[in-house]
Amino acid sequence: MNRIFSGMQPTRQLHLGNYLGALKNWVRLQDQFEAIFCVVDLHALTIDHDPETLRNNIRAVTAAYVAAGIDPEKNILFNQSAVPGHAELNWIFACHTPLGWLNRMTQFKEKAGKHRENAVLGLYAYPVLMAADILLYKATHVPVGEDQKQHLELARDIGGAFNRYYKRDDFFPLPEPQILGEATRVMSLRDGTKKMSKSDESDYSRINLTDDADTIALKIRKAKTDPEPLPETVEELEKRPEADNLVTIYAALADSSRSAVLAEHAGSQFSGFKSALADLAVAKLGPIAAEMKRLMDERTELDRILQRGAERAGAIAEKTMGEVKDIVGLLRY
Ligand code: AQP
């Protein structure tokens, strides 16, 4: 059976990178797979946070999933901390993960930066919890943006290590990353060599899913570009990261390809292209922002979705954890 699992952290605001790299693909995949979509709130504790803001962000991410088109009846939609199996399996996996594997994780190095000695254990162990998130549901496929590829490879390694140690060849499936679409790595609007990110100091570096039409248009107008007109071929974008990024965003929003966008806009100056991109972005993102706003005013509806999702996810997780405890030699009553 094929099952997908994926999630987003309720840290700060979701942005266009989260949407094009992950959420938009989930909406398409929900018709092809049994799907579990999680708001990974335990991961959000790995960085500084304010409890009231976190509570609000959990609901906001839930609202974003539904507003983007995830059907909470057909799929399971829940928040991670509501199912205790995530933390339990995390510990068991932690006991099978060599430190050397974690030392290779580039995201920890980037996030810990120069203050590595003060970074918390949770940030370092983040990919182990992520492996537990996925394998608790024996998910076979994980749709993510390109930045999560290394963590996914680690999840496969951890699942494989568990299977080998307990001589249970196929107990955990080795999940396949699904890095899909034209925009697997959306870059900052201020610097085409940096990933668009929630934590970038400049709000002009990203388009938030809650931005209104004027803000979207302003951010695109201010986006860094170069003085050349748009080229005719994708190859000519190679050394022009900012131009490449805007063409990629256009292609992904239009469900098209970079070559098709260039076929239409080659020779255009950025002023004209940016105005077309802003219209497209507003047309695609505006309805999501409006629906998010409506759902955020319906708090009980969001809480009902999460509670129902946690019951359904919890039933699957409980079964896996029962099997895991038997395999590793823990008693249960
Ligand atoms: N720039 C991006 N382009 C494509 N996909 C992206 N994703 C994140 N940024 C981009 C994908 O979004 C999903 C959820 O990510 P997350 O909630 O775990 O957040 P993150 O990766 O921590 O997002 P940020 O913005 O990069 O946060 P900070 O600034 O805190 O590091 C994942 O599938 C991810 O690949």
Side-chain angles (χ1 to χ4, degrees):
M1 183 199 51
N2 286 330
R3 177 182 278 161
I4 63 176
F5 176 95
S6 202
M8 299 205 184
Q9 301 186 72
T11 45
R12 308 187 183 99
Q13 302 243 38
L14 293 190
H15 53 69
L16 186 64
N18 299 128
Y19 177 64
L20 295 178
L23 189 48
K24 187 168 186 288
N25 296 323
W26 301 357
V27 173
R28 195 161 46 80
L29 291 168
Q30 66 181 337
D31 295 327
Q32 299 158 31
F33 288 84
E34 180 190 341
I36 302 177
F37 299 114
C38 188
V39 182
V40 288
D41 49 9
L42 294 175
H43 287 278
L45 305 181
T46 59
I47 60 167
D48 273 345
H49 73 283
D50 161 64
E52 199 45 49
T53 309
L54 176 59
R55 256 188 293 278
N56 192 54
N57 284 348
I58 294 169
R59 293 193 177 101
V61 172
T62 308
Y65 289 3
V66 177
I70 298 294
D71 177 349
E73 298 305 322
K74 179 175 182 296
N75 309 285
I76 297 178
L77 199 172
F78 75 110
N79 61 313
Q80 183 187 26
S81 62
V83 176
H86 291 259
E88 282 185 70
L89 189 59
N90 170 57
W91 179 254
I92 291 172
F93 280 171
C95 298
H96 289 279
T97 307
L99 289 183
W101 291 2
L102 288 179
N103 288 339
R104 287 203 289 272
M105 296 298 112
T106 52
Q107 185 171 296
F108 173 75
K109 290 178 195 161
E110 282 159 19
K111 290 201 172 180
K114 293 192 201 92
H115 311 290
R116 210 175 157 147
E117 288 303 311
N118 292 328
V120 294
L121 176 61
L123 187 65
Y124 184 65
Y126 181 113
V128 182
L129 178 58
M130 181 166 154
D133 298 336
I134 297 161
L135 294 176
L136 185 58
Y137 303 97
K138 298 188 180 173
T140 53
H141 295 78
V142 185
V144 282
E146 217 238 349
D147 59 323
Q148 291 299 326
K149 190 162 177 265
Q150 193 185 36
H151 288 167
L152 243 300
E153 280 159 9
L154 186 76
R156 289 168 62 89
D157 289 343
I158 293 174
F162 181 99
N163 290 351
R164 275 194 306 283
Y165 188 86
Y166 295 104
K167 299 188 177 54
R168 293 291 302 262
D169 271 0
D170 300 322
F171 182 72
F172 284 121
L174 304 186
E176 294 285 341
Q178 289 179 302
I179 298 172
L180 303 168
E182 276 293 294
T184 57
R185 190 176 180 84
V186 178
M187 308 309 276
S188 157
L189 298 180
R190 309 300 291 167
D191 177 350
T193 64
K194 264 172 61 185
K195 193 183 82 142
M196 184 179 284
S197 159
K198 294 177 197 139
S199 54
D200 195 310
E201 276 167 23
S202 167
D203 198 50
Y204 284 96
S205 69
R206 64 186 156 258
I207 294 172
N208 301 309
L209 291 189
T210 48
D211 284 345
D212 62 24
D214 289 346
T215 310
I216 293 175
L218 178 67
K219 285 179 176 177
I220 292 176
R221 216 166 40 244
K222 281 181 163 288
K224 187 177 169 198
T225 42
D226 57 46
E228 304 298 318
L230 282 172
E232 283 176 9
T233 64
V234 170
E235 290 69 39
E236 292 168 88
L237 287 172
E238 219 163 78
K239 294 208 167 64
R240 300 174 62 186
E242 284 82 17
D244 192 4
N245 192 35
L246 294 186
V247 171
T248 302
I249 291 171
Y250 192 108
L253 283 171
D255 289 313
S256 177
S257 64
R258 287 184 301 164
S259 49
V261 174
L262 290 180
E264 199 183 328
H265 293 276
S268 303
Q269 294 298 330
F270 273 103
S271 51
F273 181 69
K274 280 177 167 180
S275 148
L277 176 58
D279 289 348
L280 178 63
V282 168
K284 297 285 179 177
L285 302 179
I288 298 177
E291 182 61 1
M292 271 182 79
K293 191 168 179 313
R294 188 191 70 76
L295 286 164
M296 285 300 280
D297 292 336
E298 301 279 338
R299 228 172 86 165
T300 46
E301 167 67 3
L302 291 174
D303 289 349
R304 192 198 59 78
I305 289 172
L306 289 174
Q307 190 186 348
R308 172 86 187 105
E311 284 162 11
R312 292 165 72 194
I316 302 172
E318 210 178 311
K319 180 164 180 295
T320 307
M321 281 317 296
E323 293 167 346
V324 167
K325 286 178 182 172
D326 291 344
I327 289 172
V328 306
L330 299 171
L331 288 178
R332 58 191 177 106
Y333 302 98

